[in-house]
């Protein structure tokens, strides 16, 4: 199973991975994903082995040709050929020239898209709500906290840091312990958010946690507030209350499952640029009072 993409991509693919397991319950399942995501991929109960992979590059596979290879990466031949080169007995991909398979629908939710590929291609039930991830076997650095995660892969999906600061200050004033998370490259952003909220540097976990420690923090969180990024999908995987801010991308394509503990805020029309270099206007229209009101209702 090929899915060497980002954290959100990995987690939205979990139901499809479980669908493959249901289709071939007695087989050894290997998931090819990025080396950075290898620890988290190992938390998926349907996966027997994680194979480090690089997007659209040949797989370092020394085993025999697999009985089944599934492209959970994309819709076209650039990724199809990566799994086809393993010379599997069976190959499951979306339809593209030279590769027959189920049709690709651009307006389909990411979770349901891959579930449908598996259910149609392997004639098996695939539950799009089967998003749960095992909790890492470690003590989280903090537990029961409000997690504020201001980062996102592209500027178009990053709500302004001063607004995250205002939200963090509101949470702290409500009596919650607040932490600001992020990757190593987001530490300066997290420090700025914490400073703006009147929080000390010890509240900044950005750059200080491994991927497993971050997952453990989210799994034990009281509430999570973030943009359209991988941490939102971790909150879904651990069924933690969350407020997720969408801008250029419609939540109908990438939003959390329809559960009462996940609140989506969005004022867009789906025409924004998810790779934009400036703040998306739809995301900019989300106000601090909207977010704090949603958090108060969840809490």
């Amino acid at each position: 199973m090929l899915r060497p993409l980002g954290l959100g991509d990995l987690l939205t693919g979990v139901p499809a991975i479980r669908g493959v397991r249901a289709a071939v319950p007695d087989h050894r399942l290997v998931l090819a994903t990025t080396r950075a995501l290898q620890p988290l991929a190992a938390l998926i109960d349907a996966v027997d082995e994680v194979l480090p992979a690089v997007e659209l590059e040949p797989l370092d596979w020394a085993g025999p040709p697999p009985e089944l290879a599934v492209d959970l990466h994309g819709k076209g031949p650039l990724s199809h050929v990566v799994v086809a080169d393993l010379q599997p007995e069976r190959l499951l991909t979306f339809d593209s020239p030279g590769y027959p398979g189920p049709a690709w629908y651009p307006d389909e939710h990411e979770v349901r898209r891959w579930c449908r590929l598996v259910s149609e291609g392997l004639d098996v039930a695939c539950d799009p709500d089967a998003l749960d991830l095992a909790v890492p076997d470690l003590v989280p650095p903090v537990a029961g906290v409000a997690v504020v995660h201001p980062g996102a892969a592209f500027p178009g999906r990053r709500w302004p840091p001063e607004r995250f600061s205002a939200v963090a200050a509101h949470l702290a004033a409500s009596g919650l312990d607040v932490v600001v998370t992020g990757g190593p490259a987001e530490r300066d952003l997290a420090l700025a958010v914490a400073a703006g909220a009147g929080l000390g540097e010890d509240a900044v976990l950005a750059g200080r946690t491994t991927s497993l420690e971050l997952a453990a923090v989210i799994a034990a969180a009281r509430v999570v507030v973030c943009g359209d990024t991988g941490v939102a999908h971790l909150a879904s995987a651990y069924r933690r209350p969350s407020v997720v801010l969408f801008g250029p991308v419609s939540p109908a394509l990438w939003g959390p499952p329809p559960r009462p503990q996940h609140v989506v805020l969005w004022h867009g029309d789906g025409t924004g640029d998810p790779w934009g270099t400036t703040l998306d206007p739809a995301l900019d229209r989300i106000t601090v009072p909207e977010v704090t009101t949603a958090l108060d209702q969840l809490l």
Side-chain angles (χ1 to χ4, degrees), residues 178-181 187 190-192 194-195 199-208:
V178 181
V179 298
V180 187
T181 57
R187 183 160 177 82
L191 286 167
L199 302 175
E201 189 172 335
D202 58 341
V204 178
L205 297 186
R208 295 170 47 202

Side-chain angles (χ1 to χ4, degrees), residues 232-244:
H233 299 285
L234 275 176
S236 294
Y238 292 121
R239 299 177 180 260
R240 304 313 303 150
S242 61
V243 176
V244 187

Side-chain angles (χ1 to χ4, degrees), residues 199-285:
L199 302 175
E201 189 172 335
D202 58 341
V204 178
L205 297 186
R208 295 170 47 202
T209 58
T210 66
S211 60
L212 286 179
E213 287 171 334
L214 175 61
V217 169
I218 300 300
R222 178 67 183 85
V223 70
V224 177
V225 57
C226 63
D228 172 21
T229 189
V231 163
H233 299 285
L234 275 176
S236 294
Y238 292 121
R239 299 177 180 260
R240 304 313 303 150
S242 61
V243 176
V244 187
L245 317 182
F246 277 80
V249 177
S250 168
L253 302 179
W254 281 90
R259 303 172 185 154
Q261 69 264 43
H262 306 309
V263 177
V264 168
L265 299 178
W266 187 56
H267 300 306
D269 57 9
T271 60
D273 179 5
W275 304 282
T277 56
T278 58
L279 175 64
D280 183 81
L283 185 59
D284 192 27
R285 286 193 283 270

Side-chain angles (χ1 to χ4, degrees), residues 87-112:
Q87 299 181 324
E89 295 179 29
R90 290 189 292 166
L91 177 64
L92 178 58
T93 70
F94 276 112
D95 181 64
S96 68
Y99 296 93
W104 174 280
Y105 303 134
D107 58 350
E108 192 168 23
H109 191 284
E110 185 72 4
V111 173
R112 293 186 176 276

Side-chain angles (χ1 to χ4, degrees), residues 3 29 71 80 124 149 262 285 288:
R3 201 159 173 82
L29 262 61
D71 181 3
H80 296 354
V124 66
H149 187 88
H262 306 309
R285 286 193 283 270
V288 170

Side-chain angles (χ1 to χ4, degrees), residues 43 132-140 212 215-220 237-238 240:
L43 299 176
D132 295 19
L133 199 65
V135 176
D137 186 18
L138 55 85
V139 177
L212 286 179
V217 169
I218 300 300
Y238 292 121
R240 304 313 303 150

